[in-house]
Amino acid sequence: MARPWPRQPRLIAGNWKMNKTAQEGSALAGQLKGLLGTTRRCEIALCPPYPALESVAAAVRGSGIHLGAQDLHPEPKGAFTGAVSGPMLSAVGCRFVIVGHSERRHGMGEDDALVARKARAALRDGLTPIVCVGETLSEREAGGTADVLVRQVRAVYEGLGEAEARATVVAYEPVWAIGTGKVASLEQAREAHQLVRATLDRVVAPGLGQSLAVLYGGSVNAENAAALFGEAELDGALVGGASLEAAGFWRICAAATPR
Ligand code: PGA
């Protein structure tokens, strides 16, 4: 089973999406390792595409930078053409795996039930799932944000034991903020994070919400990171576009100072 992941220090996870070859990924990871030096102000995870996992693992070895994948298949092995399983990710050195990213929920038809199966598979295989939840613009405009967040959190956490739940991380990613340059306001992020925590308390065990890391994702960059991390509810960030360039990503990590 995956180990518990604490709220502090903050976690900055770079989701490279479908960017960087193995060689490019290794170069970027090497640059980051150089920039970060030995002073660690936060925990860092890089989530490259599958073919770059091995070269990035080699590039960050000894640096304390964690490796993560962007998705996994719920089954450990079998006839699932094109899919990659949890044991394969663990074997290449992954600590984390993103599940339920909105680009998979909305772009590739993943429903709550599949996301829940993937989160359980990650836990089974010793990986820490970064469980993404978040409302679309139309859901927000229709006043449905709370319902969507509660439904998505419930789907994954209902039936999980407290120890299992403690080995997960949540990422609140409003879909309208992803890749759009429109970052959520501190108030919007705070409200969503508090709702996620309250839902975890109800669904799994009282007090769980306060002990779980809840990241924010959606247009985080070097310019807005310091303001975002002024909000104590943010236990880190899931960073897409701004994780593809070392200097900018490093500035986000530097802004995530310990509280
Ligand atoms: P973005 O993506 O930082 O490019 O908005 C975040 C994400 O999709 O995880």
Side-chain angles (χ1 to χ4, degrees), residues 237-259:
L238 185 53
V239 184
S243 69
L244 297 174
E245 189 263 316
F249 188 64
W250 178 81
R251 284 174 58 201
I252 296 170
C253 296
T257 48
R259 292 162 287 176

Side-chain angles (χ1 to χ4, degrees), residues 44-98:
I44 295 165
L46 301 179
C47 305
Y50 297 136
L53 282 171
E54 191 143 19
S55 68
V56 171
V60 299
R61 199 155 287 141
S63 69
I65 297 175
H66 303 278
L67 189 67
Q70 298 173 18
D71 186 36
L72 84 171
H73 192 279
E75 295 298 327
K77 64 177 180 177
F80 303 101
T81 301
V84 170
S85 73
M88 295 171 184
L89 300 177
S90 294
V92 79
C94 285
R95 164 80 201 255
F96 293 99
V97 61
I98 299 170

Side-chain angles (χ1 to χ4, degrees), residues 213-240:
V214 183
L215 317 183
Y216 166 78
S219 295
V220 177
N221 59 36
E223 280 66 49
N224 60 27
L228 282 167
F229 292 132
E231 172 54 57
E233 272 293 333
L234 269 63
D235 301 317
L238 185 53
V239 184

Side-chain angles (χ1 to χ4, degrees), residues 24 53 140 160 180:
E24 291 164 350
L53 282 171
R140 176 165 282 273
L160 276 194
T180 57

Side-chain angles (χ1 to χ4, degrees), residues 113-241:
L114 180 56
V115 176
R117 285 178 66 212
K118 289 183 171 190
R120 280 168 171 69
L123 290 167
R124 175 197 68 208
D125 298 327
L127 298 158
T128 299
I130 300 177
V131 178
C132 299
V133 298
E135 79 288 358
T136 62
L137 184 60
S138 59
E139 286 165 342
R140 176 165 282 273
E141 285 176 346
T145 300
D147 286 349
V148 171
L149 294 180
V150 170
R151 192 198 79 225
Q152 291 179 339
V153 171
R154 261 187 184 286
V156 169
Y157 287 90
E158 218 149 41
L160 276 194
E162 196 176 342
E164 289 176 302
R166 279 185 194 280
T168 70
V169 169
V170 177
Y172 168 57
E173 297 209 302
V175 179
W176 47 270
I178 295 178
T180 57
K182 279 188 216 143
V183 68
S185 69
L186 291 185
E187 195 182 359
Q188 287 170 327
R190 187 186 315 128
E191 260 179 31
H193 285 218
Q194 288 171 347
L195 178 62
V196 166
R197 295 190 202 282
T199 309
L200 290 166
D201 282 356
R202 268 205 313 281
V203 171
V204 186
L208 175 70
Q210 282 307 319
S211 61
L212 226 64
V214 183
L215 317 183
Y216 166 78
S219 295
V220 177
N221 59 36
E223 280 66 49
N224 60 27
L228 282 167
F229 292 132
E231 172 54 57
E233 272 293 333
L234 269 63
D235 301 317
L238 185 53
V239 184

Side-chain angles (χ1 to χ4, degrees), residues 3-80:
R3 289 153 284 160
W5 185 265
R7 281 186 73 176
Q8 290 183 58
R10 282 183 164 125
L11 171 64
I12 308 300
N15 173 13
W16 292 1
K17 308 193 180 185
M18 199 172 71
N19 295 289
K20 307 288 178 190
T21 62
Q23 212 173 6
E24 291 164 350
S26 149
L28 173 56
Q31 284 170 357
L32 274 171
K33 184 177 167 179
L35 281 171
L36 293 165
T38 49
T39 41
R40 305 287 307 288
R41 318 182 86 183
C42 63
E43 295 285 345
I44 295 165
L46 301 179
C47 305
Y50 297 136
L53 282 171
E54 191 143 19
S55 68
V56 171
V60 299
R61 199 155 287 141
S63 69
I65 297 175
H66 303 278
L67 189 67
Q70 298 173 18
D71 186 36
L72 84 171
H73 192 279
E75 295 298 327
K77 64 177 180 177
F80 303 101

